[in-house]
Amino acid sequence: MKILVIGSGGREHAIIHKLLESKKIEKIYCAPGNGGISAEAECVPIGATDIEGLVKFAKEKAVDFTVVGMDDPLVMGVVDAFEAQGLRVFGPRKNAAIIEGSKAFSKELMKKYNIPTARYETFDNFDKASEYVKTLTPPVVLKADGLALGKGVLICQSEEEALSGLREMMIDQKFGKSGTTVVIEEFLTGPEVSVLSFCDGKTVVPMVSAQDHKRAYDNDEGLNTGGMGTFSPSRVYGEKEAKEVMEKICIPTVEALNKEGRTFKGIIYFGLMLTKEGPKVIEYNCRFGDPETQVVLPRLKSDLLEIFEACVDGTLDKLNIEWDEGGAACVVMASGGYPVSYKKGYEITGIDEAEKDPSVKVYHAGTALKDGKYYTNGGRVIGVTATGSSLDEAIKTAYKAVDKIDFKDKHFRKDIGVKKYNF
Ligand code: AMP
Ligand code: GLY
């Protein structure tokens, strides 16, 4: 089969690398891809949100199956556009991708169907939002309704901070139109766990759990980033938690979406917080997490293409999806200065050396390939993943590999896999 993968990050690299294990694959295209991805797939210079261009390409090349990695095209309706042309595509339609596209929608859905989440109110009027904030005891959480590159959440420690945050979102439109509607919610505490799941519209199959390190520096200090590293499994998510999440969150979410006429086929990412009152949903995403995918998919023993096809065909209940018992860790190596400002174009050395260990795989996020050499080309440059018979072994191997890789001003966290909790 000829496959098209839409996206350009480490997540898409991990999806492609796993798909290549499938015997049914004849060729993979990636739009637009990146330097590292071009070693495993043919990258085509079509933007991930150029829906018309993507459909045209898929038809011209007689692509058999398309996999959408990124959120923006899903929320824009790329799946509807492909289906309208009779093309087979993996991902939710626009009316289901709204679980990520609108936080106001997903909060309302959870309230209506009793899915555990933080208490909240939604506002599109600044004065009313301000009055409400004054009735709350900080910390207060403000969320811009729409997609904001993962930056639309403010945790405010005082009333003044919350009021100025509201002004930034609603009046100054710091997050563009996505902030004209704001969700104000209660602050929760507890460890965060990412549970990605396959869904065919009826059956939901959670993958192995993962945890993300979002802050730029060790000990969770510094600014929020797209993710500085991940590990799988979570150390705090056991069978008991998984059963509770399945019964109270995963199944009810899929049923709720069906009842609303928004059948979901694709990946539902449950961003959870394990609170003293039980697990609660912090956010839904309508696609694989990045960099969670880089530790979850390496642990998948089953054929990924078969699973994707079963999701589209509604036959997920017929599959037995198997996972490796051990663990995986991914250390993101970023450009110095990320997530604020950074330079690009530095040569990267040592990737081949690091990958000599068969349990190591370097997933490229922001690299360019020129004359056989890799150069930095983004904030998050690469994700160095290692698998092992235990999580601790995987972490050790990942850091050994990181030590072999060099580029000017490289920055990475030294504490991936170590998490402190204030339960
Ligand atoms: P989100 O973009 O929804 O993933 O939010 C970004 C981060 O903000 C989450 O990963 C949490 O660490 C934090 N966060 C979001 N909502 C809450 C909440 N209600 N209570 C505490 N922290 C939160
Ligand atoms: N790692 C968080 C996300 O993919 O949204």
Side-chain angles (χ1 to χ4, degrees), residues 63-347:
V63 166
D64 298 295
F65 195 83
T66 297
V67 178
V68 190
M70 270 180 77
D71 43 355
D72 298 76
L74 289 168
V75 171
M76 287 166 68
V78 69
V79 168
D80 309 59
F82 271 66
E83 285 180 348
Q85 298 294 323
L87 295 163
R88 269 163 74 74
V89 55
F90 175 77
R93 292 181 186 155
K94 185 176 177 172
N95 75 351
I98 192 173
I99 62 163
E100 176 164 3
S102 167
K103 292 198 194 289
F105 171 85
S106 57
K107 293 296 289 190
E108 209 179 304
L109 186 84
M110 288 185 263
K111 192 190 247 177
K112 186 169 171 189
Y113 292 94
N114 283 319
I115 297 166
T117 189
R119 277 185 288 274
Y120 78 103
E121 293 289 337
T122 301
F123 296 91
D124 53 16
N125 176 292
F126 174 72
D127 293 330
K128 289 206 173 119
S130 302
E131 272 167 39
Y132 179 67
V133 156
K134 288 179 192 158
T135 68
L136 303 174
T137 314
V140 171
V141 183
L142 307 182
K143 297 187 171 183
D145 177 46
L147 293 181
L149 293 168
K151 295 192 180 78
V153 176
L154 297 178
I155 312 251
C156 305
Q157 300 299 338
S158 67
E159 186 181 303
E160 296 73 56
E161 215 182 307
L163 291 173
S164 77
L166 273 183
R167 180 169 290 281
E168 275 178 20
M169 281 186 179
M170 302 185 83
I171 310 279
D172 306 339
Q173 303 216 339
K174 193 175 165 194
F175 304 109
K177 288 249 179 319
S178 78
T180 48
T181 299
V182 170
V183 170
I184 303 178
E185 70 177 32
E186 111 190 88
F187 179 78
L188 301 176
T189 53
E192 280 183 62
V193 181
S194 307
V195 176
L196 284 54
S197 67
F198 297 109
C199 188
D200 70 353
K202 299 179 297 227
T203 304
V204 54
V205 181
M207 304 181 212
V208 286
S209 64
Q211 279 183 240
D212 187 4
H213 296 261
K214 288 193 171 140
R215 300 295 193 99
Y217 301 115
D218 288 9
N219 298 316
D220 288 340
E221 284 169 18
L223 290 172
N224 247 330
T225 70
M228 292 301 294
T230 37
F231 59 98
S232 171
S234 156
R235 296 183 198 272
V236 290
Y237 193 77
E239 266 175 43
K240 177 180 152 281
E241 287 78 14
K243 186 167 178 281
E244 195 177 352
V245 166
M246 186 67 175
E247 284 166 7
K248 293 190 179 154
I249 294 175
C250 301
I251 293 174
T253 298
V254 172
E255 286 177 356
L257 284 163
N258 276 331
K259 284 192 189 130
E260 296 293 312
R262 297 173 183 274
T263 294
F264 193 106
K265 291 183 175 191
I267 304 294
I268 307 185
Y269 168 131
F270 298 92
L272 306 172
M273 197 174 268
L274 307 183
T275 75
K276 278 189 191 139
E277 296 160 13
K280 295 192 180 181
V281 178
I282 289 283
E283 63 167 343
Y284 289 126
N285 291 322
C286 65
R287 35 95 195 155
F288 277 106
D290 189 339
E292 284 91 340
T293 309
Q294 291 89 313
V295 289
V296 169
L297 287 187
R299 297 187 57 203
L300 177 66
K301 291 205 282 190
S302 308
D303 185 312
L304 184 59
L305 181 60
E306 230 172 64
I307 302 174
F308 284 165
E309 290 199 277
C311 288
V312 173
D313 297 338
T315 54
L316 202 49
D317 59 338
K318 307 266 181 327
L319 289 188
N320 177 27
I321 299 176
E322 290 184 298
W323 299 93
D324 192 74
E325 286 296 323
C330 172
V331 180
V332 169
M333 297 183 77
S335 299
Y338 172 77
V340 183
S341 66
Y342 50 85
K343 294 206 173 100
K344 299 180 189 175
Y346 297 128
E347 188 183 337

